[in-house]
């Protein structure tokens, strides 16, 4: 509808590619796509296959409780992403939000945390794909690190090609892979609970036995592993510039994703407790845990079906992780906080081709060098804990950022106080606790990987700050939801976007 005389014509909620994205393809994903992407990002089958033994080592039989106690603050972070995404549609997500709500240097740290955690994950994510695929041909191959690295690298390259070709084909591939994966986990998880086992007798303390972690240090170690289980749902935020009605769909997809994977994690982890002994979980030469669960439900065929679920899940989460890191690098390059070429997209496929290429090259180098770290089990343990530290950083910063951005609205209603204030703030404090407590207890290799990779980010930060990047200027438009009777920012009805607002304009977040 035409604007009345003297009024500016409102802009669409979905911003044109030319004006907003600098080359990313707009309006490709819908609401259902974001849910699928969030589920694929958390990768339930992969997370269970790669991390169950590590969680059992940290929490024993109360692994389900660790997942529950981590899910509650994780939902607070998901609410933070939901409301921050309504203020600022940006492929950089937490990089942009934290930078505009708190401080540009903290925003860069948030973005860099995602970049390094995702890059390390390329190794941690590809190894289980190799392990489970090779387990179909014999246990000796499955325990060969070089063979796992080779098979994992091939799977990674196939996935990278799909991501390069475009988000549309990637989303369609995710429908198939994630749909099959979730269906397998639901069927086999419930069947395993019905079948039961002789490894342990179910106890309600598995679900909320806080006193069984062995103190604060034990709880922090278990919760850090649990945080890794959930990580990845926030890919929906990095896809916001490519999502229709993004101010609603991106955040909603993340919330549903967290709830959905939590249910899957609980069902399968309880089933594993019943069927697989703690000694077998600790045995590096034992059969993969999901293979054992599958064969218990359906001897012979069940194990192979679970292998299929893990392989599909791994490829799916490698896709979403590469999407996250490439979009984050794209946003940083666009803001010239790293070389500007990272902010360029392919002329035909409209994907960040240079960012994707760099991550692929670095990841392949890490595949080769990871063999020097020892066994696959050691590699996975160090990588998962290091990633846990890094994701705790940017999740915590996002939780604080939403409280600051909505500070004028947080006490306007009870729901605002809970979903924009208390819950995200509690999530941020929890993530900060995990980071600090585990920094004092984890081994030297994990700390070197986790904090060393973060410290590398100080180099581009100092360089581009000194060069006068606009991102670091004091006059950068702040992220601020201003009070009003009708809070447009909460419902995505704003008529101006932060990208188009000039120095004298009203922000999308201003009412």
């Amino acid at each position: 509808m035409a604007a009345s005389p003297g009024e500016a014509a409102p802009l669409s909620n979905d911003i044109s590619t030319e004006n907003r994205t600098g080359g990313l393809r707009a309006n490709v994903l819908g609401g259902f796509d974001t849910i699928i992407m969030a589920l694929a990002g958390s990768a339930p089958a992969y997370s269970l296959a790669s991390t169950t033994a590590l969680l059992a080592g940290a929490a024993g039989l109360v692994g389900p409780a660790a997942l529950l106690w981590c899910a509650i603050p994780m939902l607070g972070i998901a609410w933070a992403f939901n409301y921050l995404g309504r203020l600022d549609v940006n492929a950089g997500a937490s990089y942009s939000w934290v930078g505009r709500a708190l401080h540009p240097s903290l925003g860069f740290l948030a973005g860099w945390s995602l970049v390094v955690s995702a890059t390390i994950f390329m190794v941690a994510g590809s190894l289980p794909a190799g392990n489970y695929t090779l387990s179909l041909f014999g246990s000796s191959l499955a325990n060969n690190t070089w063979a796992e690295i080779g098979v994992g690298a091939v799977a990674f390259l196939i996935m990278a090609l799909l991501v390069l070709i475009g988000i549309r084909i990637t989303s369609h591939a995710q429908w198939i892979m994630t749909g099959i994966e979730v269906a397998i986990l639901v069927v086999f998880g419930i069947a395993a609970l019905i079948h039961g086992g002789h490894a342990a007798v179910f106890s309600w303390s598995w679900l909320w036995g806080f006193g069984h972690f062995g103190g604060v240090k034990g709880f922090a170690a278990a919760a850090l592993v649990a945080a890794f289980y959930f990580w990845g749902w926030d890919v929906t935020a990095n896809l916001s510039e490519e999502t229709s009605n993004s101010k609603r769909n991106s955040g909603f997809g993340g919330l549903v994703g967290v709830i959905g994977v939590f249910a899957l994690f609980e069902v399968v982890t309880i089933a594993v407790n019943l069927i697989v002994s703690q000694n077998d979980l600790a045995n590096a030469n034992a059969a993969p845990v999901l293979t054992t669960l599958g064969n218990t439900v359906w001897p012979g065929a069940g194990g192979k079906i679970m292998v299929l679920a893990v392989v599909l899940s791994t490829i799916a989460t490698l896709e979403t992780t590469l999407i996250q890191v490439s979009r984050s690098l794209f946003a940083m390059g666009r803001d010239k906080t790293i070389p500007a070429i990272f902010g360029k997209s392919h002329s035909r496929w409209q994907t960040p081709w240079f960012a994707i290429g760099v991550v692929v090259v670095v990841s392949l180098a890490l595949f080769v060098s990871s063999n020097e770290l020892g066994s696959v089990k050691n590699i996975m343990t160090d990588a998962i804990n290091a990633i846990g530290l890094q994701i705790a950083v940017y999740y915590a910063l996002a939780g604080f950022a939403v409280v600051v951005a909505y500070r004028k609205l947080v006490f306007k209603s009870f729901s605002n106080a809970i979903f924009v204030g208390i819950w995200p703030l509690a999530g941020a404090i929890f993530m900060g606790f995990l980071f600090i407590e585990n920094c004092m207890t984890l081994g030297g290799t994990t700390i070197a990987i986790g904090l060393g990779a973060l410290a590398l980010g100080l180099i581009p930060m100092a360089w581009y700050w000194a060069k006068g990047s606009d991102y670091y200027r004091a006059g950068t438009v702040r992220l601020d939801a201003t009070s009003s009777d009708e809070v447009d920012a909460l419902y995505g009805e704003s008529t101006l976007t932060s990208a188009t607002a000039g120095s004298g304009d009203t922000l999308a977040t201003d009412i």
Side-chain angles (χ1 to χ4, degrees):
M1 178 168 51
S4 16
E7 289 184 337
L11 297 178
S12 169
N13 214 20
D14 299 315
I15 308 147
S16 69
T17 300
E18 293 78 13
N19 291 339
R20 181 66 181 88
T21 66
L24 297 179
R25 190 183 299 276
N27 301 327
V28 176
L29 304 178
F32 178 74
D33 294 307
T34 62
I35 295 173
I36 292 295
M37 286 293 185
L39 292 171
S42 291
Y46 160 79
S47 298
L48 290 161
S50 65
T51 320
T52 296
L54 189 56
L55 182 64
L61 290 171
V62 293
L67 291 167
L68 172 63
W69 289 114
C70 190
I72 295 171
M74 188 63 74
L75 262 176
I77 302 302
W79 280 114
F81 273 67
N82 176 58
Y83 283 105
L84 287 167
R86 292 178 178 183
L87 300 183
D88 181 20
V89 175
N90 193 294
S94 58
Y95 156 77
S96 175
W97 303 333
V98 173
R100 295 179 57 204
L102 301 180
H103 192 274
S105 61
L106 293 176
F108 185 86
L109 177 62
W112 188 259
S113 298
L114 189 151
V115 167
V116 294
S117 60
T119 304
I120 294 171
F121 178 76
M122 298 306 171
V123 176
S126 297
L127 289 177
N131 179 278
Y132 270 75
T133 302
L134 292 169
S135 69
L136 294 171
F137 304 98
S139 59
S140 59
L141 277 176
N143 292 321
N144 185 311
T145 303
W146 275 116
E148 290 181 80
I149 289 172
V151 173
V154 170
F156 172 69
L157 288 172
I158 293 172
M159 170 276 308
L161 180 61
L162 287 177
V163 174
L164 177 64
I165 291 175
I167 190 61
R168 192 181 302 278
I169 190 172
T170 302
S171 66
H172 291 169
Q174 290 290 358
W175 292 353
I176 299 170
M177 293 187 293
T178 304
I180 294 173
E181 170 200 356
V182 170
I184 291 173
L185 286 179
V186 169
V187 171
F188 276 82
I190 294 175
L193 290 179
I194 295 172
H195 180 280
H198 304 289
V201 177
F202 174 76
S203 169
W204 287 107
S205 66
W206 293 358
L207 291 173
W208 46 71
F210 192 85
H212 297 275
F213 290 106
V216 173
K217 290 183 179 179
F219 172 72
L224 189 71
V225 177
F228 176 81
Y229 270 79
F230 289 98
W231 177 55
W233 56 267
D234 50 305
V235 65
T236 60
N238 296 98
L239 285 167
S240 61
E241 294 186 22
E242 297 156 270
T243 301
S244 62
N245 196 14
S246 176
K247 292 185 178 183
R248 291 177 182 271
N249 288 335
S250 294
F252 179 74
L255 287 166
V256 174
V258 172
I259 296 170
V261 296
F262 167 68
L264 288 171
F265 290 151
E266 288 291 286
V267 168
V268 177
T269 303
I270 292 171
V272 169
N273 277 355
L274 296 172
I275 291 170
V276 185
S277 71
Q278 296 295 296
N279 287 336
D280 285 342
L281 285 173
N283 183 0
N285 295 319
V289 61
L290 291 190
T291 301
T292 301
L293 187 147
N295 284 329
T296 300
V297 173
W298 186 358
K304 292 181 172 59
I305 293 172
M306 293 301 281
V307 167
L308 173 64
V310 174
V311 172
L312 290 175
S313 179
T314 304
I315 295 173
T317 194
L318 285 171
E319 279 191 345
T320 58
T321 305
L322 185 55
I323 287 170
Q324 276 195 285
V325 67
S326 63
R327 269 55 177 183
S328 295
L329 290 170
F330 173 81
M332 294 166 127
R334 184 171 59 190
D335 290 344
K336 297 181 173 59
T337 56
I338 58 175
I341 192 172
F342 281 93
K344 305 295 182 182
S345 64
H346 192 278
S347 58
R348 177 182 175 186
W349 297 320
Q350 293 181 275
T351 54
W353 64 271
F354 186 81
I356 293 171
V358 169
V359 174
V360 168
V361 171
V362 172
S363 298
L364 290 177
L366 289 175
F367 288 157
V368 176
S369 61
S370 65
N371 189 54
E372 301 301 319
L373 296 176
S375 68
V376 170
K377 182 179 179 181
N378 290 339
I379 295 169
M380 292 298 296
T381 300
D382 290 335
I384 288 170
N385 284 326
I387 291 170
L389 291 176
Q390 292 158 355
I391 63 178
V393 170
Y394 83 86
Y395 279 165
L397 289 171
F400 289 123
V402 76
V403 177
V404 172
Y406 280 88
R407 64 193 179 278
K408 299 172 184 176
L409 301 176
V410 72
F411 295 116
K412 292 291 184 180
S413 69
F414 179 77
S415 62
N416 279 11
I418 297 298
F419 297 111
V420 186
I422 296 173
W423 205 344
L425 182 60
I429 293 171
F430 180 81
M431 293 298 165
F433 157 74
L434 291 187
F435 179 82
I436 294 170
E437 184 65 33
N438 283 285
C439 279
M440 297 188 293
T441 57
L442 289 174
T445 300
T446 301
I447 295 297
I449 296 172
L451 301 189
L454 288 177
L456 288 175
L458 297 176
I459 298 173
M461 181 193 297
W463 176 262
Y464 286 95
W465 199 335
K467 288 185 67 175
S469 169
D470 288 343
Y471 176 82
Y472 295 110
R473 289 185 179 177
T476 300
V477 179
R478 309 303 297 166
L479 200 61
D480 182 13
T482 307
S483 58
S484 174
D485 293 335
E486 297 294 334
V487 186
D488 290 352
L490 298 182
Y491 301 98
E493 299 298 334
S494 306
T495 58
L496 281 176
T497 69
S498 58
T500 58
S503 58
D505 292 325
T506 302
L507 282 175
T509 61
D510 294 336
I511 311 304

